[in-house]
Amino acid sequence: MTATVATIGMFDGVHQGHRFVLRQVVETARERGLQSLCITFDHSPRREQVLTPLTEKLQLIRAVGIDRCEVLQFTPQLKALTARQFMAQVLKEQLGVQVLLTGYDNRFGHNREEGFDDYVRYGHELGIEVMQLPAEGQVSSSAIRQHLQEGRVEEAASLLGRPYALTGSVTHGQHIGTGLGYPTANVVPADSQQLIPANGVYAVRCGERKGMMNIGTRPTFDGHQRTLEVHLFNYDGDLYGQPLTIDFVSRLREERSFDSPEALVEQLKIDAHEAQQRL
C-alpha cells in the first residue's frame, strides 16, 4: 500500500481556504517523498445544496496538484464510526495514511464529538502523524452559500477565487425572450442539488461569450415556475441539447414585474448595456 500525506473534508466549492490546505498537503508529501491524497465524500451528511457537483469538485482538487482523490460513500456504517475507528479502519488500514493534515476547524467521526487533540492522541497510537494548519482568512463554504443565496456573486467569487459557475443543458422554453428581441437559452442544471443564486438579472460569461441571465419566475408574464434563462450577446447559433457552463460575474438588479412587455424591453436594453460594461 502506498504511504500518503492526506487531508479530509467535504471541500464544497474548493475555495481559497481549501486550496491553501491542499497545497500544504502537496508540499508536505513532496518533502517526505510520499503520495498526496485528498479524502472527500459523495455528499454532505446534512444533504444541503452544493456549490460544486462531485465531478467538478474532483477536477478542482486535482488542479491544485493532488496525486490522488478518494471519494467515500457516506453510508450509515461510515457515519457511525467514532473518530478513532475512522482513523484506524479507513485512514490507516484502507488508505495507508502516514501523515494527516487538518484544517483549523476540521472535525470528523460520529457526531463530530472529538477534536484535534483527540486526533493527535489516536494518531500516536496508530502510527499516524497529525498536523493542524492555521486558518487562511475567514473563508467558509457556508459564507459563500449565504452570499449566493442573497445574490452577492462578486463577494462569493472573492472567497472562491473564481466566479461561481453552474453547468446545465439547454432545453426548449416558451420563447418569450425571442419575441422581445432577446432570445434566451433555457438552462436546466446538470445537478439538481447545486445551489442556484438568488432571483435576479446577472452579467455572465459562457466560455468566451458574454451575456446576461435572468433567474426567476418572469412576473411580467404571470409566471410561477422558476427558470434560468441566458441571453448571449451577438450570438444566433443553436444551443439546444448542448451543455452550457455559466460563470456569474455580477448581479445587475433584482427580478421585478413591469407594466408591459414594452417597458420590459426598455429595461433589457439598460441591462444589456450595464452587463457589457461590467464584463
Side-chain angles (χ1 to χ4, degrees):
M1 182 184 299
T2 303
T4 61
V5 175
T7 189
I8 181 170
M10 272 305 300
F11 297 101
D12 188 25
V14 195
H15 56 58
Q16 302 267 40
H18 291 148
R19 291 200 294 280
F20 169 75
V21 172
L22 293 168
R23 285 193 294 269
Q24 299 308 306
V25 171
V26 171
E27 184 176 324
T28 303
R30 287 175 180 165
E31 290 173 352
R32 302 193 182 201
L34 302 176
Q35 186 180 66
S36 57
L37 169 66
C38 177
I39 305 162
T40 189
F41 301 91
D42 62 335
H43 67 267
S44 166
R46 294 183 289 274
R47 290 289 184 179
E48 59 194 353
Q49 289 183 302
V50 300
L51 302 173
T52 44
L54 182 58
T55 300
E56 180 186 346
K57 179 169 73 172
L58 294 178
Q59 290 173 344
L60 290 167
I61 290 171
R62 292 190 182 101
V64 178
I66 288 286
D67 294 319
R68 177 173 143 220
C69 295
E70 286 286 343
V71 180
L72 302 180
Q73 306 296 310
F74 208 90
T75 62
Q77 293 79 12
L78 184 68
K79 186 177 180 181
L81 295 179
T82 64
R84 193 188 190 288
Q85 289 171 330
F86 180 82
M87 289 179 69
Q89 297 175 28
V90 180
L91 300 188
K92 183 71 174 180
E93 297 173 16
Q94 181 180 329
L95 299 175
V97 175
Q98 191 172 107
V99 182
L100 176 67
L101 272 64
T102 70
Y104 73 101
D105 62 347
N106 190 26
R107 287 177 177 264
F108 54 83
H110 182 64
N111 290 335
R112 298 160 58 93
E113 295 168 340
E114 293 142 303
F116 178 70
D117 291 340
D118 299 301
Y119 307 151
V120 171
R121 186 171 71 255
Y122 302 149
H124 282 311
E125 297 168 0
L126 297 167
I128 299 174
E129 181 182 354
V130 181
M131 302 166 60
Q132 188 175 45
L133 296 169
E136 178 72 358
Q138 297 300 310
V139 184
S140 72
S141 298
S142 297
I144 295 168
R145 203 171 282 113
Q146 184 68 32
H147 282 315
L148 294 171
Q149 288 169 341
E150 296 175 6
R152 298 192 298 269
V153 295
E154 290 169 290
E155 288 86 344
S158 71
L159 298 184
L160 284 166
R162 64 184 186 280
Y164 184 66
L166 185 148
T167 297
S169 58
V170 178
T171 64
H172 288 277
Q174 298 182 14
H175 304 288
I176 291 175
T178 301
L180 298 174
Y182 290 88
T184 60
N186 192 63
V187 180
V188 177
D191 187 334
S192 61
Q193 293 301 309
Q194 185 172 1
L195 189 152
I196 297 170
N199 288 1
V201 180
Y202 296 86
V204 300
R205 290 184 185 274
C206 298
E208 297 299 315
R209 297 193 176 277
K210 302 174 183 179
M212 60 183 184
M213 183 173 193
N214 183 80
I215 299 175
T217 59
R218 295 175 295 195
T220 302
F221 301 95
D222 298 320
H224 299 288
Q225 182 178 354
R226 194 184 195 203
T227 60
L228 288 71
E229 298 174 287
V230 61
H231 169 74
L232 299 180
F233 301 132
N234 305 313
Y235 182 79
D236 58 2
D238 185 0
L239 294 172
Y240 291 117
Q242 297 185 36
L244 197 65
T245 297
I246 300 149
D247 289 336
F248 290 86
V249 177
S250 180
R251 191 175 194 232
L252 302 175
R253 61 175 174 85
E254 63 183 15
E255 185 185 44
R256 61 179 185 268
S257 179
F258 292 86
D259 293 335
S260 66
E262 291 75 21
L264 173 57
V265 169
E266 288 306 309
Q267 180 60 54
L268 290 176
K269 292 178 183 177
I270 296 171
D271 294 338
H273 176 76
E274 180 65 20
Q276 293 274 20
Q277 293 295 109
R278 298 195 190 187
L279 293 167

